């Protein structure tokens, strides 16, 4: 090859290389442009879903007021005995709440799940209050949850008898008196009196033949007799009523109790003459505690989103407990999961592949949601770890973490604001929602609250209290106190046994 030919070949090669470089750059630029466009489209889809979620779960104050009005209307229907009312408004037969003057030794049995608790308290009047208390928790063997009524109650009575045998010298039962018990039974019951009620149905994994339609106090009493235990059930209560009693014992201005935990319920003190379905003699106190069973409240005012509707449809009790499904700890994490799943499907939030774990119902629990929501670190490390452990996404961007926390915020805020609307409804029913126009002083109003959601999910409880202030206004809200009342269902039952004691008149 001649020199000229070699130079020509080199020129051609160089030109080809140059062309290849240019084409490569163009392809890279084009790929970058396509990637940028795809990323912009992904972000637009994410923003669209979030905007839709914000709109669907919005709870403006005007809407909350209309929800409160609808709740009050249902409360009044329930008190009239309207069979179509969504709220049962159960008469608890608790007309005497603790005053602080109670004396003596009283027991409590708290049965509400796979464990039960036995408790004893020595009450020493207004000065010393609860002088001493002891408790013990007992697990129920799984086979007894699906066995016979006699087997279950014999097991409970045996544990109770064993607990009574450990009663020390610092607990004093006056000579000639029978021990008395408050029985917290957190299953659906048709209450017949302060110390009797028939079981409507078992829940929480129990399926026992021969108890539905029977008086649960009579079942327990027969079992105690078989154990040779001389003890009288003086009060049968539900956990919300127990919380109200425990709250009133500590603070005489408590008028209502609200449970915000796995589930939700509320009880309050109603004027007996405002209960049209009450047919007996009016109680001496003039009052009656009403168990609202407000978890079953539903109204076209409630902001039900597509996520709520799908969750309800797939639940074990579709169409029931709608209010509970929007505000309680059992469901908040699941609503967040469903929204994140929508973001994964429609906007590739976690990449091109939807994380399989995210498809599993109830894989995201509310305590995990709370931990993610409360993550205040600059890189949201706790939240990232939760997404990795629960959803199986190893690497999440800061953007994804912030979006996830924002979704937690939306869902928790709606739940808290709806819970506040319920409390506001009870205060309206009692006429404690406004400053008196006659110049009299606004009465101090205390609401006792219990349950892990209220106690541990601080952003939830803070939002609830701020919403109550918003609904009531500054002046009226200054007379309202929201107070944490721990262990109402246990000690509250013992206190109700004391206030309804067969020896109360003697004292």
């Amino acid at each position: 090859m001649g020199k000229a030919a070699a130079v020509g070949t080199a020129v051609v090669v160089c030109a080809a290389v140059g062309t290849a470089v240019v084409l490569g750059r163009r392809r890279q630029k084009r790929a970058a442009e396509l990637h940028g466009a795809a990323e912009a489209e992904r972000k637009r889809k994410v923003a669209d879903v979030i905007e839709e979620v914000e709109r669907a779960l919005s709870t403006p104050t005007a809407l909350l007021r209309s929800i409160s009005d609808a709740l009050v209307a249902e409360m009044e229907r329930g008190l009239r005995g309207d069979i179509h009312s969504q709220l049962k408004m159960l008469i608890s037969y608790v007309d005497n709440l603790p005053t602080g003057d109670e004396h003596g030794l009283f027991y409590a049995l708290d049965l509400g799940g796979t464990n039960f608790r036995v408790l004893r308290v020595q009450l020493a009047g207004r000065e010393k209050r609860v002088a001493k208390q002891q408790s013990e928790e007992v697990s129920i063997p799984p086979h007894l949850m699906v066995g016979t009524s006699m087997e279950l109650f014999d097991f409970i009575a045996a544990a109770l008898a064993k607990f009574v045998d450990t009663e020390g010298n610092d607990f004093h039962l006056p000579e000639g008196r029978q021990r008395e018990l408050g029985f917290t039974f957190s299953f659906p019951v048709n209450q017949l009196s302060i110390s009797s009620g028939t079981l409507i149905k078992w829940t929480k994994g129990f399926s026992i033949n021969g108890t539905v339609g029977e008086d649960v106090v009579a079942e327990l009493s027969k079992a105690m007799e078989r154990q040779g235990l001389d003890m009288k059930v003086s009060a049968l209560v539900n956990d919300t009523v127990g919380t109200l009693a425990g709250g009133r014992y500590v603070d005489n201005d408590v008028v209502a109790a609200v449970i915000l935990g796995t589930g939700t319920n509320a009880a309050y003190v109603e004027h007996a003459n405002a209960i049209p379905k009450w047919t007996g003699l009016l109680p001496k106190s003039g009052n009656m505690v009403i168990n609202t069973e407000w978890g079953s409240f539903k109204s076209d005012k409630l902001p039900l989103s597509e996520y709520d509707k799908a969750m309800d449809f797939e639940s074990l009790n579709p169409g029931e407990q709608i209010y509970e499904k929007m505000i309680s700890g059992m469901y908040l994490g699941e609503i967040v999961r469903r929204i994140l799943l929508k973001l994964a499907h429609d906007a590739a939030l976690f990449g091109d592949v939807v994380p399989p774990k995210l498809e599993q119902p109830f894989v995201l629990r509310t305590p995990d949601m709370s931990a993610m929501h409360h993550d205040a670190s600059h890189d949201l490390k706790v939240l990232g770890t939760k997404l990795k452990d629960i959803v199986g996404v190893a690497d999440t961007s800061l953007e994804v973490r912030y979006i996830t926390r924002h979704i937690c915020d939306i869902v928790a805020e709606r739940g808290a604001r709806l819970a506040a609307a319920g409390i506001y409804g009870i205060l309206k029913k009692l006429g404690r929602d406004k400053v008196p126009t006659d110049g009299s002083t606004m009465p101090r109003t205390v609401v006792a609250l219990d349950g892990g959601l209220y106690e541990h999910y601080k952003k939830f409880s803070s939002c609830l209290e701020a919403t109550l202030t918003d609904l009531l206004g500054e002046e009226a809200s200054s007379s309202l106190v929201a107070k944490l009342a721990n262990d109402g269902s246990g000690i509250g039952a013992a206190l109700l046994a004391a206030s309804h004691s067969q020896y109360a008149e003697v004292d």
Side-chain angles (χ1 to χ4, degrees):
M1 184 184 295
K3 189 175 182 182
V7 170
T9 301
V11 170
V12 170
V13 171
C14 286
V17 170
T19 301
V21 169
V22 170
L23 288 174
R25 285 174 180 164
R26 284 177 181 169
R27 276 197 291 269
Q28 286 176 347
K29 185 180 179 184
R30 179 67 180 149
E33 287 172 350
L34 289 172
H35 177 74
E39 184 63 14
E41 177 64 10
R42 186 191 68 80
K43 289 190 175 184
R44 184 190 64 76
K45 287 180 177 177
V46 167
D48 286 348
V49 173
I50 292 174
E51 186 180 340
E52 176 270 323
V53 169
E54 288 173 339
R55 185 171 57 251
L57 275 64
S58 174
T59 51
T61 302
L63 176 64
L64 296 182
R65 292 187 187 281
S66 65
I67 290 169
S68 296
D69 290 342
L71 181 76
V72 172
E74 285 301 321
M75 290 172 72
E76 289 173 344
R77 287 178 69 188
L79 290 173
R80 289 197 300 271
D82 186 334
I83 59 171
H84 301 296
S85 172
Q86 295 150 18
L87 300 187
K88 295 184 177 72
M89 302 300 284
L90 300 174
I91 294 171
S92 70
Y93 293 88
V94 171
D95 55 344
N96 293 318
L97 283 163
T99 61
D101 291 325
E102 291 79 12
H103 284 78
L105 171 64
F106 295 91
Y107 279 78
L109 167 63
D110 187 355
L111 175 63
T114 54
N115 299 324
F116 66 87
R117 217 156 57 90
V118 287
L119 180 141
R120 61 174 152 250
V121 295
Q122 187 74 45
L123 302 173
R126 195 166 291 276
E127 293 302 316
K128 293 185 179 177
R129 298 286 175 142
V130 178
K132 189 172 178 61
Q133 71 178 75
Q134 291 176 336
S135 65
E136 190 175 294
E137 192 161 300
V138 182
S139 292
I140 299 174
H143 72 275
L144 291 182
M145 295 172 64
V146 291
T148 67
S149 180
M150 181 180 286
E151 287 172 335
L152 175 66
F153 282 101
D154 277 353
F155 177 80
I156 293 169
L160 184 57
K162 188 177 175 184
F163 182 66
V164 170
D165 285 343
T166 65
E167 187 180 284
N169 293 330
D170 40 1
F171 289 90
H172 309 288
L173 183 72
E175 191 71 33
R177 290 199 177 183
Q178 187 180 27
R179 287 181 180 81
E180 293 182 274
L181 174 83
F183 184 15
T184 301
F185 187 75
S186 299
F187 298 90
V189 162
N190 178 27
Q191 193 118 5
L192 305 171
S193 72
I194 184 59
S195 58
S196 63
T198 57
L199 178 67
I200 297 171
K201 64 177 178 180
W202 286 107
T203 57
K204 306 175 188 178
F206 284 77
S207 180
I208 294 170
N209 293 324
T211 322
V212 172
E214 297 296 321
D215 182 352
V216 293
V217 171
E219 294 292 306
L220 177 61
S221 298
K222 285 185 285 188
M224 288 193 296
E225 282 177 29
R226 288 193 291 270
Q227 292 293 327
L229 178 59
D230 183 23
M231 185 177 280
K232 174 184 169 62
V233 179
S234 297
L236 172 68
V237 298
N238 123 306
D239 55 354
T240 318
V241 175
T243 299
L244 177 53
R248 176 63 73 92
Y249 184 70
V250 175
D251 191 323
N252 203 44
D253 292 330
V254 169
V255 298
V258 175
I259 304 285
L260 286 164
T262 304
T264 184
N265 193 13
Y268 74 105
V269 183
E270 182 60 274
H271 303 295
N273 57 12
I275 311 171
K277 68 180 179 183
W278 176 258
T279 54
L281 292 172
L282 288 180
K284 289 179 184 177
S285 68
N287 295 319
M288 179 63 68
V289 174
I290 297 294
N291 168 17
T292 66
E293 291 291 338
W294 79 359
S296 61
F297 173 61
K298 59 183 172 183
S299 165
D300 57 6
K301 306 290 185 188
L302 290 171
L304 276 170
S305 67
E306 63 177 272
Y307 312 100
D308 299 296
K309 291 172 184 174
M311 182 177 70
D312 174 53
F313 181 76
E314 295 169 23
S315 70
L316 296 172
N317 54 346
E320 298 178 19
Q321 301 297 107
I322 298 299
Y323 187 53
E324 181 169 79
K325 286 171 181 171
M326 298 177 81
I327 70 173
S328 76
M330 176 80 182
Y331 303 100
L332 295 183
E334 172 64 3
I335 297 168
V336 170
R337 181 196 71 84
R338 287 174 179 269
I339 295 170
L340 292 178
L341 185 61
K342 170 96 169 179
L343 283 162
H345 274 298
D346 293 9
L349 182 67
F350 300 104
D352 295 333
V353 179
V354 175
K357 281 187 175 181
L358 194 58
E359 303 269 9
Q360 297 175 20
F362 292 94
V363 71
L364 178 61
R365 296 164 55 253
T366 301
D368 296 315
M369 168 192 171
S370 174
M372 293 194 297
H373 193 182
H374 288 96
D375 187 358
S377 61
H378 70 281
D379 58 352
L380 300 183
K381 187 177 180 181
V382 172
L383 197 153
T385 302
K386 286 287 181 187
L387 286 176
K388 179 183 176 182
D389 294 345
I390 297 163
V391 182
V393 182
D395 297 306
T396 49
S397 67
L398 195 57
E399 177 205 20
V400 167
R401 296 178 193 184
Y402 272 107
I403 288 168
T404 301
R405 190 173 69 173
H406 183 52
I407 297 303
C408 293
D409 194 49
I410 295 169
V411 173
E413 180 179 295
R414 184 190 68 160
R417 286 176 65 80
L418 289 175
I423 295 171
Y424 179 63
I426 289 177
L427 298 180
K428 279 192 86 166
K429 178 70 180 70
L430 293 174
R432 289 175 177 249
D433 59 317
K434 292 189 183 75
V435 176
T437 54
D438 60 2
S440 59
T441 306
M442 181 85 178
R444 181 172 177 269
T445 299
V446 182
V447 177
L449 292 117
D450 196 10
L453 183 64
Y454 180 79
E455 183 177 1
H456 301 301
Y457 201 146
K458 297 305 179 187
K459 286 185 182 289
F460 183 97
S461 51
S462 297
C463 180
L464 183 152
E465 290 162 18
T467 306
L468 276 171
T469 298
D470 180 34
L471 289 167
L472 288 164
E474 287 294 334
E475 194 173 354
S477 67
S478 65
S479 298
L480 176 69
V481 179
K483 182 180 282 191
L484 179 64
N486 270 324
D487 192 28
S489 57
I491 197 163
L495 291 165
L496 285 170
S499 57
H500 292 80
S501 167
Q502 61 188 316
Y503 306 110
E505 295 301 320
V506 177
D507 293 335

